[in-house]
Amino acid sequence: MKVNTNGRDIEVTIDGFCLEDTLDCGQSFRWEKNKDGSFSGVAYSRVLTISQHGNKLIFKNTSSDEFETLWKVYFDLETDYSHIKSFLCSDKTIKSACSYAGGIRILRQDSWEALCCFIISQNNNIPRIKGIVSRLCENFGKELESGIFSFPDPQDIFDGGIEALDVLRAGFRAGYLYDAARKVLNGEVNLEEIKTMPIEDARTTLMKIKGVGPKVAECALLYGFYRVEAFPVDVWIKRALHYFYADGFPKEYESVGGIAQQYIFHYIRTCEDAIPDEYKKQVRQKKAPPKVPQR
DNA sequence: ACCCAGGCGACGA
DNA sequence: TCGTCGCATGGG
């Protein structure tokens, strides 16, 4: 990685990184693509516009200090992914996933934000998750720039009472979000302590929150606590496990299972011919309810 | 119109 | 402990 300062822009030369895949692979819901191909978003209450041209990233309107202390870390630029990938790619499925979109990195997102976003994600689709998260920020966050809002703290979400969350149109998830805010505020769930807990204890603690089950806990740990051994299993990963790993996911990869999971998830969800169409239907878990003729 | 979404809690067997 | 069902809302 090579870093150049150019006025208020920072130019970074880096290989094996894909901005679009990283921001659009279902790990973060706060980045929007602009007409010119750049992306704008907020992390840790800082606003950024960023674009990629070949192996150059351009961080707009930041400072070298902010780049060093925030964005370099957020985008995980100092981790050697080529090393991790050459290890993981001894598996042929992961190898296919990496040749399809191997430029993905795991973002080091804020713990509270990731927890909330993945509470909202349950039984929901990505465009709608983005909408709810966006309304959450607009209504409860602080305005950082005109029309751009921070992610609200637990207090901001708790203060108006649960009825105030109606504006989110989050359905049954509103109560879950409110319970998360309450338990973080009263110390029942201490996010700072979770950062240093053994992962089993971290899981158990997160699951004290109503609406946080195994899957949401794994997502929070992977994306909000950078626990790359966390392995979220949703319907897509279930399909992958059935189709590619009938004998189980290889133990040797467990220490970086979350990273492997991210490549596989993005691959089978967005690559047309990753797995057969019939197989997708076959594994869909919802079955037709027996139609009982009324009257 | 219809199916389903990066699931979970409640409930019954 | 395990399988099933309802849940709110709206994107495609």
Side-chain angles (χ1 to χ4, degrees), chain A residues 181-230:
Chain A
R182 190 175 65 80
K183 290 193 171 122
V184 168
L185 285 173
N186 72 16
E188 230 175 300
V189 175
N190 185 321
L191 300 180
E192 286 308 311
E193 286 177 2
I194 289 174
K195 288 177 183 171
T196 57
M197 275 181 193
I199 195 159
E200 263 314 324
D201 299 344
R203 287 187 179 108
T204 311
T205 306
L206 286 168
M207 285 170 61
K208 287 184 191 168
I209 297 165
K210 198 174 176 192
V212 177
K215 196 276 180 178
V216 171
E218 290 306 281
C219 285
L221 287 167
L222 176 58
Y223 304 116
F225 294 87
Y226 202 74
R227 297 290 183 100
V228 293
E229 71 273 37

Side-chain angles (χ1 to χ4, degrees), chain A residues 89-100:
Chain A
C89 285
S90 57
D91 177 86
K92 70 180 201 303
T93 301
I94 303 175
K95 189 172 182 178
S96 305
C98 282
S99 56
Y100 173 72

Side-chain angles (χ1 to χ4, degrees), chain A residues 3 13 66 96 140 167-168 184 190 239 271 277 280 284 288:
Chain A
V3 182
T13 306
E66 189 177 88
S96 305
F140 300 94
V167 293
L168 304 179
V184 168
N190 185 321
R239 284 171 200 152
C271 179
D277 274 0
K280 295 178 191 172
R284 258 180 231 290

Side-chain angles (χ1 to χ4, degrees), chain A residues 226-290:
Chain A
Y226 202 74
R227 297 290 183 100
V228 293
E229 71 273 37
F231 194 92
V233 178
D234 73 323
V235 294
W236 288 103
I237 295 297
K238 270 181 197 156
R239 284 171 200 152
L241 291 176
H242 277 113
Y243 189 70
F244 295 115
Y245 303 102
D247 301 324
F249 190 73
K251 290 259 190 246
E252 47 176 325
Y253 303 135
E254 276 179 355
S255 63
V256 287
I259 299 176
Q261 176 273 155
Q262 189 62 58
Y263 293 134
I264 296 167
F265 173 78
H266 184 68
Y267 174 54
I268 62 170
R269 201 177 68 90
T270 62
C271 179
E272 280 296 322
D273 46 27
I275 59 175
D277 274 0
E278 309 82 61
Y279 195 83
K280 295 178 191 172
K281 291 177 196 161
Q282 186 190 335
V283 187
R284 258 180 231 290
Q285 78 278 62
K286 196 167 259 180
K287 44 209 84 175

